[in-house]
Amino acid sequence: MAALPSKGDAHEPDADLVFHIFAALAEFIRELIMEGMHKGLAAPGRGAHGSAGTQR
């Protein structure tokens, strides 16, 4: 029985490029989420937990 060549080798240059693109995108999105969270927590009148509170 002969082994077939692997099509999904993570050490190929094209797979490495795709991996790095997704890693950079994930880091960028994480930074956007953290920035939005910090802005929301710093907003006046939002309470200690960043919630908008109840409407009356």
Side-chain angles (χ1 to χ4, degrees):
M1 180 174 195
L4 297 174
S6 175
K7 296 278 185 184
D9 189 11
H11 297 291
E12 293 181 12
D14 55 346
D16 196 39
L17 175 64
V18 171
F19 175 77
H20 280 88
I21 289 172
F22 278 113
L25 184 60
E27 185 175 351
F28 176 72
I29 292 172
R30 181 182 178 273
E31 291 292 327
L32 287 177
I33 291 170
M34 294 294 287
E35 181 181 339
M37 185 182 72
H38 288 293
K39 283 182 181 179
L41 290 175
R46 295 274 183 162
H49 299 288
S51 63
T54 58
Q55 295 181 352
R56 294 177 193 217

